[in-house]
Amino acid sequence: MELTAAQQLAREAGLALERKGGRLVLLDGAMEVYGDFTRMLPRLKQGVVQREMLVKAARVKGVASPVAVDATAGLGEDALLLAAAGFTVVMFERDPVIAALLDDALTRATQTPALAETAARMSLHAADSIESLPRLDARPDVVVLDPMFPAKHGDARAKKKLQMIQRLESPCADEGALLGAAFDAQPRKIVVKRPLKGPFLDSRKPAYSLKGKTIRYDVYIP
Protein backbone atom coordinates (compact mmCIF):
# COMPACT_ATOMS: atom_id res chain seq x y z
CA MET A 1 0.00 0.00 0.00
CA GLU A 2 1.24 3.48 -0.84
CA LEU A 3 2.07 5.85 2.00
CA THR A 4 -0.72 8.25 0.99
CA ALA A 5 -3.29 5.45 1.42
CA ALA A 6 -1.90 4.61 4.86
CA GLN A 7 -2.05 8.30 5.77
CA GLN A 8 -5.72 8.38 4.78
CA LEU A 9 -6.46 5.37 7.00
CA ALA A 10 -4.67 7.08 9.88
CA ARG A 11 -6.77 10.22 9.39
CA GLU A 12 -9.93 8.13 9.44
CA ALA A 13 -8.86 6.92 12.90
CA GLY A 14 -8.30 10.50 14.08
CA LEU A 15 -4.52 10.23 13.82
CA ALA A 16 -1.78 11.66 11.62
CA LEU A 17 0.98 9.74 9.84
CA GLU A 18 3.84 11.95 8.69
CA ARG A 19 7.58 12.27 8.23
CA LYS A 20 9.29 13.89 11.18
CA GLY A 21 12.96 13.92 12.11
CA GLY A 22 13.87 11.48 9.35
CA ARG A 23 11.33 8.83 10.34
CA LEU A 24 7.67 7.99 9.85
CA VAL A 25 5.64 8.97 12.92
CA LEU A 26 2.07 8.34 14.04
CA LEU A 27 0.66 11.24 16.06
CA ASP A 28 -2.50 11.95 18.02
CA GLY A 29 -1.62 15.52 19.02
CA ALA A 30 -0.10 14.60 22.37
CA MET A 31 1.98 11.50 21.72
CA GLU A 32 4.10 9.98 18.96
CA VAL A 33 4.50 6.33 18.00
CA TYR A 34 7.21 5.17 15.62
CA GLY A 35 9.39 2.16 15.02
CA ASP A 36 12.84 2.46 16.57
CA PHE A 37 15.19 -0.53 16.64
CA THR A 38 18.21 1.42 17.89
CA ARG A 39 16.88 1.59 21.43
CA MET A 40 16.97 -2.21 21.54
CA LEU A 41 20.68 -2.47 20.78
CA PRO A 42 21.66 -3.37 24.38
CA ARG A 43 19.33 -6.39 24.20
CA LEU A 44 20.78 -7.59 20.88
CA LYS A 45 24.27 -8.46 22.10
CA GLN A 46 24.90 -12.19 21.75
CA GLY A 47 25.49 -12.75 25.43
CA VAL A 48 22.20 -11.03 26.18
CA VAL A 49 19.80 -11.93 23.37
CA GLN A 50 20.21 -15.66 23.89
CA ARG A 51 18.82 -15.17 27.41
CA GLU A 52 15.66 -13.49 26.13
CA MET A 53 12.65 -15.61 27.10
CA LEU A 54 11.21 -15.39 23.58
CA VAL A 55 14.46 -16.67 22.08
CA LYS A 56 14.54 -19.55 24.55
CA ALA A 57 10.93 -20.44 23.72
CA ALA A 58 11.54 -20.26 19.96
CA ARG A 59 14.85 -22.14 19.90
CA VAL A 60 14.82 -25.26 17.72
CA LYS A 61 17.34 -28.00 18.44
CA GLY A 62 19.42 -29.28 15.57
CA VAL A 63 18.53 -26.48 13.13
CA ALA A 64 21.50 -24.35 12.14
CA SER A 65 19.57 -21.58 10.32
CA PRO A 66 16.02 -21.57 11.71
CA VAL A 67 13.18 -19.71 10.02
CA ALA A 68 10.56 -17.98 12.14
CA VAL A 69 7.30 -16.39 11.08
CA ASP A 70 6.16 -13.50 13.26
CA ALA A 71 2.47 -13.59 12.40
CA THR A 72 1.52 -10.53 14.48
CA ALA A 73 4.55 -8.33 13.86
CA GLY A 74 3.36 -4.97 15.22
CA LEU A 75 6.41 -2.69 15.37
CA GLY A 76 8.78 -5.63 14.95
CA GLU A 77 10.53 -5.80 18.30
CA ASP A 78 10.02 -9.55 18.80
CA ALA A 79 11.15 -10.20 15.22
CA LEU A 80 14.28 -8.14 15.84
CA LEU A 81 15.19 -10.23 18.88
CA LEU A 82 14.78 -13.44 16.90
CA ALA A 83 16.81 -12.10 13.98
CA ALA A 84 19.59 -11.05 16.35
CA ALA A 85 19.58 -14.59 17.74
CA GLY A 86 20.20 -16.00 14.25
CA PHE A 87 16.68 -16.64 12.93
CA THR A 88 15.55 -15.62 9.48
CA VAL A 89 12.27 -13.87 10.26
CA VAL A 90 9.27 -13.39 7.99
CA MET A 91 6.88 -10.78 9.42
CA PHE A 92 3.18 -10.34 8.74
CA GLU A 93 1.32 -7.20 9.79
CA ARG A 94 -2.31 -6.80 8.74
CA ASP A 95 -2.83 -3.09 9.53
CA PRO A 96 -1.47 -0.89 6.71
CA VAL A 97 -0.54 2.00 9.01
CA ILE A 98 1.39 -0.15 11.46
CA ALA A 99 2.98 -1.98 8.53
CA ALA A 100 4.14 1.39 7.15
CA LEU A 101 5.72 2.28 10.50
CA LEU A 102 7.45 -1.10 10.65
CA ASP A 103 8.67 -0.87 7.05
CA ASP A 104 10.16 2.55 7.81
CA ALA A 105 11.91 1.23 10.94
CA LEU A 106 13.28 -1.73 9.00
CA THR A 107 14.57 0.52 6.21
CA ARG A 108 16.36 2.74 8.72
CA ALA A 109 17.81 -0.33 10.45
CA THR A 110 19.35 -1.57 7.20
CA GLN A 111 21.15 1.80 6.98
CA THR A 112 22.46 1.59 10.56
CA PRO A 113 25.78 -0.32 10.80
CA ALA A 114 25.01 -1.82 14.22
CA LEU A 115 21.66 -3.17 12.96
CA ALA A 116 22.21 -3.86 9.26
CA GLU A 117 23.25 -7.52 9.58
CA THR A 118 20.30 -8.33 11.82
CA ALA A 119 17.81 -6.34 9.71
CA ALA A 120 18.94 -8.22 6.60
CA ARG A 121 17.43 -11.38 8.10
CA MET A 122 14.00 -9.73 8.40
CA SER A 123 11.33 -9.36 5.71
CA LEU A 124 7.88 -7.80 5.94
CA HIS A 125 4.55 -8.64 4.32
CA ALA A 126 1.66 -6.21 4.82
CA ALA A 127 -0.94 -8.96 4.92
CA ASP A 128 -3.31 -10.85 7.21
CA SER A 129 -1.46 -13.86 8.62
CA ILE A 130 -4.70 -15.83 9.07
CA GLU A 131 -4.98 -15.90 5.28
CA SER A 132 -1.25 -16.08 4.57
CA LEU A 133 0.06 -18.73 6.97
CA PRO A 134 -1.60 -21.71 5.24
CA ARG A 135 -0.16 -20.51 1.91
CA LEU A 136 3.51 -20.22 2.83
CA ASP A 137 5.90 -21.54 0.19
CA ALA A 138 7.96 -23.47 2.74
CA ARG A 139 7.40 -24.92 6.19
CA PRO A 140 8.81 -22.57 8.87
CA ASP A 141 10.55 -23.84 11.98
CA VAL A 142 8.61 -21.56 14.32
CA VAL A 143 5.47 -19.42 14.21
CA VAL A 144 5.26 -16.66 16.82
CA LEU A 145 1.92 -15.15 17.85
CA ASP A 146 1.48 -12.10 20.04
CA PRO A 147 -2.25 -11.29 20.16
CA MET A 148 -2.71 -7.84 21.64
CA PHE A 149 -3.50 -7.69 25.34
CA PRO A 150 -3.85 -4.77 27.79
CA ALA A 151 -0.78 -2.95 29.10
CA LYS A 152 0.12 -3.68 32.71
CA HIS A 153 -1.35 -1.54 35.47
CA GLY A 154 0.55 1.62 36.30
CA ASP A 155 2.35 1.90 32.96
CA ALA A 156 0.54 4.99 31.70
CA ARG A 157 2.75 5.58 28.66
CA ALA A 158 2.45 1.99 27.50
CA LYS A 159 -1.32 2.17 27.91
CA LYS A 160 -1.48 5.36 25.85
CA LYS A 161 0.67 3.85 23.11
CA LEU A 162 -1.50 0.73 23.05
CA GLN A 163 -4.66 2.84 22.88
CA MET A 164 -3.29 4.65 19.83
CA ILE A 165 -2.47 1.38 18.10
CA GLN A 166 -5.87 -0.08 18.98
CA ARG A 167 -7.54 2.86 17.21
CA LEU A 168 -6.04 1.30 14.09
CA GLU A 169 -6.01 -2.37 14.91
CA SER A 170 -8.17 -4.03 17.55
CA PRO A 171 -7.14 -7.29 19.23
CA CYS A 172 -7.69 -10.40 17.15
CA ALA A 173 -11.40 -11.16 17.11
CA ASP A 174 -10.94 -14.82 16.21
CA GLU A 175 -8.20 -16.39 18.30
CA GLY A 176 -9.19 -19.85 17.08
CA ALA A 177 -8.62 -18.84 13.45
CA LEU A 178 -5.24 -17.30 14.28
CA LEU A 179 -4.00 -20.36 16.15
CA GLY A 180 -5.50 -22.65 13.53
CA ALA A 181 -3.66 -20.82 10.75
CA ALA A 182 -0.41 -21.23 12.70
CA PHE A 183 -1.01 -24.99 12.89
CA ASP A 184 -1.84 -25.04 9.16
CA ALA A 185 1.66 -23.70 8.45
CA GLN A 186 3.01 -26.95 9.94
CA PRO A 187 5.93 -25.48 11.91
CA ARG A 188 8.04 -27.45 14.34
CA LYS A 189 6.61 -25.31 17.14
CA ILE A 190 4.26 -22.40 17.80
CA VAL A 191 5.11 -19.81 20.44
CA VAL A 192 2.31 -17.64 21.86
CA LYS A 193 2.91 -14.60 24.08
CA ARG A 194 0.33 -14.24 26.85
CA PRO A 195 -0.22 -12.27 30.08
CA LEU A 196 1.25 -14.27 32.96
CA LYS A 197 -2.16 -15.16 34.40
CA GLY A 198 -4.12 -14.91 31.16
CA PRO A 199 -6.04 -17.79 29.60
CA PHE A 200 -4.57 -20.03 26.94
CA LEU A 201 -5.15 -18.80 23.40
CA ASP A 202 -8.48 -20.19 22.20
CA SER A 203 -8.54 -22.17 25.50
CA ARG A 204 -6.05 -24.60 23.96
CA LYS A 205 -3.50 -26.03 26.39
CA PRO A 206 0.15 -25.83 25.23
CA ALA A 207 2.81 -28.52 25.51
CA TYR A 208 4.66 -26.32 28.01
CA SER A 209 5.15 -22.69 29.05
CA LEU A 210 8.04 -20.39 29.96
CA LYS A 211 7.06 -17.85 32.61
CA GLY A 212 8.43 -14.41 33.41
CA LYS A 213 7.31 -11.77 35.90
CA THR A 214 4.42 -10.39 33.84
CA ILE A 215 4.21 -12.53 30.69
CA ARG A 216 4.62 -16.12 29.63
CA TYR A 217 5.29 -17.94 26.40
CA ASP A 218 3.07 -20.93 25.64
CA VAL A 219 4.70 -23.45 23.32
CA TYR A 220 2.67 -25.77 21.08
CA ILE A 221 4.19 -28.72 19.24
CA PRO A 222 2.07 -29.56 16.14
Side-chain angles (χ1 to χ4, degrees):
M1 176 177 286
E2 295 182 357
L3 179 58
T4 52
Q7 289 173 320
Q8 178 59 35
L9 289 173
R11 283 194 292 271
E12 291 173 1
L15 303 168
L17 184 66
E18 60 186 53
R19 294 281 177 189
K20 184 177 181 182
R23 58 194 172 204
L24 193 62
V25 180
L26 185 67
L27 307 101
D28 72 347
M31 188 176 183
E32 300 179 351
V33 172
Y34 52 86
D36 180 16
F37 291 153
T38 59
R39 67 180 184 82
M40 293 185 65
L41 280 170
R43 297 173 64 185
L44 304 184
K45 297 177 181 178
Q46 282 306 304
V48 178
V49 74
Q50 298 296 343
R51 296 197 297 269
E52 288 279 347
M53 193 160 54
L54 170 61
V55 173
K56 291 180 179 179
R59 191 172 290 140
V60 180
K61 293 181 180 180
V63 180
S65 302
V67 176
V69 172
D70 185 344
T72 50
L75 293 177
E77 295 180 355
D78 286 345
L80 185 71
L81 290 173
L82 292 172
F87 286 79
T88 296
V89 187
V90 180
M91 300 178 289
F92 287 95
E93 173 51 50
R94 62 177 178 165
D95 183 85
V97 179
I98 298 173
L101 293 171
L102 176 53
D103 183 63
D104 177 70
L106 188 59
T107 298
R108 285 185 281 111
T110 62
Q111 299 166 354
T112 303
L115 290 167
E117 184 178 349
T118 296
R121 289 194 287 271
M122 302 166 65
S123 60
L124 171 63
H125 299 272
D128 189 332
S129 59
I130 291 178
E131 298 176 358
S132 302
L133 281 170
R135 303 174 184 172
L136 293 175
D137 292 333
R139 175 189 181 192
D141 296 295
V142 183
V143 173
V144 177
L145 306 177
D146 180 9
M148 213 177 296
F149 53 82
K152 61 186 179 180
H153 295 296
D155 192 343
R157 184 172 179 82
K159 287 181 180 179
K160 179 65 174 176
K161 179 178 177 180
L162 183 63
Q163 287 170 357
M164 282 183 66
I165 291 175
Q166 287 184 340
R167 286 165 68 175
L168 298 165
E169 181 176 45
S170 59
C172 181
D174 194 340
E175 294 182 342
L178 180 62
L179 187 57
F183 273 91
D184 287 343
Q186 300 182 349
R188 297 174 186 268
K189 64 168 60 174
I190 299 166
V191 178
V192 182
K193 184 178 181 179
R194 302 299 288 160
L196 181 59
K197 297 182 180 180
F200 297 133
L201 190 65
D202 195 37
S203 301
R204 188 163 182 169
K205 186 177 180 180
Y208 61 93
S209 300
L210 298 183
K211 297 180 181 180
K213 293 182 179 179
T214 60
I215 64 171
R216 72 172 193 271
Y217 288 95
D218 295 336
V219 180
Y220 299 80
I221 309 297

